[in-house]
């Protein structure tokens, strides 16, 4: 997986730590380690930074001067994209989808949104259910009309170029485990826009590492999520020169923990946030890692991981907590 073949702009603090979570492990009866991709550094860290290294590499190769992207109002991806643009002298235009329908002041103005504004991004909001691909095209056309050179990044940075960041993370996890003489039985991650999940699957498949990845869904139903991840994992493997490396059996998503919908918090998510914080001091977010931990807790209690060593990929997002104070604060 000679990733130096692909243009790349270094943004992240790598390698991120692979740490044991002893008190959480004791609470759940499963040996849990955490891959700390909340520690990637850019704008407070998170998984999108790895993707943006390759996406910005391509953007500079194309002589772009403006990044154009989209996400939900409290998007971690948008925050990190705005920061990457600021750090490299690029303009940034973002489209925020009012996906959850929340009008709470903390949700619409605090957390990631406050940071988007701090990094100087141009912000446009659209109603939930808007065709976001069409909105990206529209914004890119507007940038061109005023003489700019846009580079369009899909939601979550989730295309084959962005997924290379998690091919690299797969390599990093395996190398880190080997250095610790640790056998990994399973990797658990949140799965949403598919790029992180797909990159891990593709990277592990191309390496022949034979470590299963379980994606805990945060938005789409199981069949749709697995279809999205499989398609992108195959595209990523093809980019690496191994188009047949990924099989359908490698892509597994459990979408039983979405709750009432994307970005909507329930009691089990708050319990997961609280357990991680009060056992090993780990700060999760309500949208992605909180729901992934909700699923991990339920599955561990059901005996799904008995006798296994599980690596939980922490994809960051704690900045979004400040957009949910009105929903979470009263429960703590």
């Amino acid at each position: 997986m000679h990733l130096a073949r692909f243009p790349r702009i270094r943004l992240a603090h790598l390698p991120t730590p692979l740490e044991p979570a002893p008190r959480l492990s004791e609470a759940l009866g499963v040996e849990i380690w955490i891959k700390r991709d909340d520690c990637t550094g850019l704008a407070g860290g998170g998984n999108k930074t790895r993707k943006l290294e390759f996406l910005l590499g391509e953007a500079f190769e194309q002589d772009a001067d403006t990044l154009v992207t989209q996400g939900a109002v409290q998007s971690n991806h948008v925050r990190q994209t705005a920061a990457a643009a600021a750090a490299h002298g690029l303009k940034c235009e973002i489209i925020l989808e009012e996906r959850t329908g929340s009008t709470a002041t903390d949700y619409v103005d605090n957390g990631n949104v406050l940071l988007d504004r701090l990094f100087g991004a141009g912000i446009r909001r659209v109603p939930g259910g808007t065709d976001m691909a069409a909105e990206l095209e529209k914004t890119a056309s507007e940038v061109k009309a005023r003489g700019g050179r846009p580079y369009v990044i899909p939601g979550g940075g989730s295309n084959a170029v962005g997924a290379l960041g998690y091919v690299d993370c797969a390599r990093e996890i395996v190398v880190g485990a080997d250095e610790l003489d640790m056998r990994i039985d399973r990797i658990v991650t949140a799965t949403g826009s598919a790029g992180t999940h797909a990159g891990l699957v593709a990277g592990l498949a191309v390496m022949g590492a034979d470590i299963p990845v379980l994606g805990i869904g945060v938005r789409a139903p199981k069949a749709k999520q697995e279809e999205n991840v499989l398609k992108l994992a195959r595209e990523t493997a093809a980019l690496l020169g191994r188009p047949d490396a990924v099989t359908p059996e490698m892509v597994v998503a459990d979408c039983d923990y979405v709750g009432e919908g994307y970005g909507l918090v329930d009691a089990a998510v708050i319990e997961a946030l609280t357990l991680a914080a009060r056992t090993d001091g780990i700060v999760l977010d309500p949208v992605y890692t909180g729901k992934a931990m909700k699923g991990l807790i339920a599955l561990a209690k059901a005996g799904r991981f008995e006798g296994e060593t599980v690596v939980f990929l922490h994809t960051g997002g704690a900045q979004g907590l400040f957009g949910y104070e009105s929903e979470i604060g009263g429960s703590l």
Side-chain angles (χ1 to χ4, degrees):
M1 301 193 307
H2 189 38
L3 293 176
R5 294 173 292 168
F6 303 97
R8 183 176 188 176
I9 300 297
R10 299 287 180 167
L11 299 168
H13 300 169
L14 301 178
T16 57
L18 179 59
E19 299 178 342
R23 298 189 68 232
L24 181 61
S25 299
E26 183 180 3
L28 298 180
V30 176
E31 184 176 357
I32 298 170
W33 289 63
I34 301 182
K35 180 61 172 170
R36 296 292 304 272
D37 270 19
D38 57 319
C39 299
T40 54
L42 179 70
N47 63 323
K48 310 306 181 183
T49 300
R50 288 188 189 267
K51 300 179 183 182
L52 286 162
E53 290 199 333
F54 291 93
L55 292 163
L56 257 71
E58 186 174 76
F60 275 104
E61 189 176 60
Q62 295 178 11
D63 194 32
D65 64 4
T66 306
L67 303 182
V68 178
T69 196
Q70 58 93 357
V73 170
Q74 283 294 332
S75 169
N76 299 307
H77 160 68
V78 163
R79 166 188 32 101
Q80 288 162 85
T81 302
H88 287 276
L90 302 173
K91 299 183 180 69
C92 186
E93 297 292 337
I94 59 178
I95 308 152
L96 298 180
E97 180 189 0
E98 296 166 344
R99 198 176 295 167
T100 69
S102 175
T103 58
T105 301
D106 53 352
Y107 184 81
V108 299
D109 287 325
N110 205 341
N112 283 311
V113 179
L114 178 61
L115 293 172
D116 298 339
R117 291 163 51 203
L118 183 65
F119 293 128
I123 300 173
R124 182 163 62 87
R125 299 175 190 247
V126 297
T130 296
D131 183 340
M132 299 304 284
E135 292 299 321
L136 285 173
E137 290 181 14
K138 175 183 174 183
T139 300
S141 296
E142 291 170 352
V143 170
K144 288 178 183 176
R146 58 178 184 254
R149 301 183 302 279
Y151 178 79
V152 175
I153 299 175
S158 291
N159 57 17
V161 172
L164 290 174
Y166 274 86
V167 169
D168 193 31
C169 183
R171 177 201 57 79
E172 200 176 285
I173 289 171
V174 171
V175 169
D178 286 346
E179 289 174 349
L180 293 164
D181 291 326
M182 180 179 75
R183 174 192 169 95
I184 299 173
D185 295 297
R186 191 178 310 275
I187 297 170
V188 175
T189 183
T191 184
S193 61
T196 298
H197 190 175
L200 286 174
V201 169
L204 293 166
V206 169
M207 284 189 292
D210 197 27
I211 301 172
V213 180
L214 173 61
I216 305 293
V218 301
R219 187 178 185 188
K222 177 180 175 68
K224 181 61 176 174
Q225 187 65 26
E226 291 181 343
E227 177 188 340
N228 291 345
V229 174
L230 178 61
K231 179 177 182 291
L232 184 50
R234 283 177 162 166
E235 290 171 357
T236 306
L239 196 57
L240 295 165
R242 293 286 305 282
D244 300 323
V246 175
T247 66
E249 294 75 25
M250 294 176 181
V251 175
V252 180
D254 186 332
C255 299
D256 291 344
Y257 304 98
V258 174
E260 303 221 353
Y262 174 88
L264 302 179
V265 177
D266 56 33
V269 171
I270 296 173
E271 289 169 10
L273 295 173
T274 304
L275 181 64
R278 295 181 183 179
T279 51
D280 290 293
I282 300 296
V283 183
L284 305 177
D285 82 294
V287 181
Y288 294 93
T289 53
K291 286 196 176 175
M293 183 58 72
K294 168 188 170 181
L296 188 154
I297 291 167
L299 293 168
K301 289 181 175 179
R304 171 76 178 273
F305 306 129
E306 187 173 354
E308 293 188 358
T309 297
V310 174
V311 171
F312 179 81
L313 175 62
H314 189 335
T315 53
Q319 295 77 11
L321 278 169
F322 302 101
Y324 282 82
E325 196 281 333
S326 57
E327 292 187 63
I328 295 172
S331 302
L332 303 178

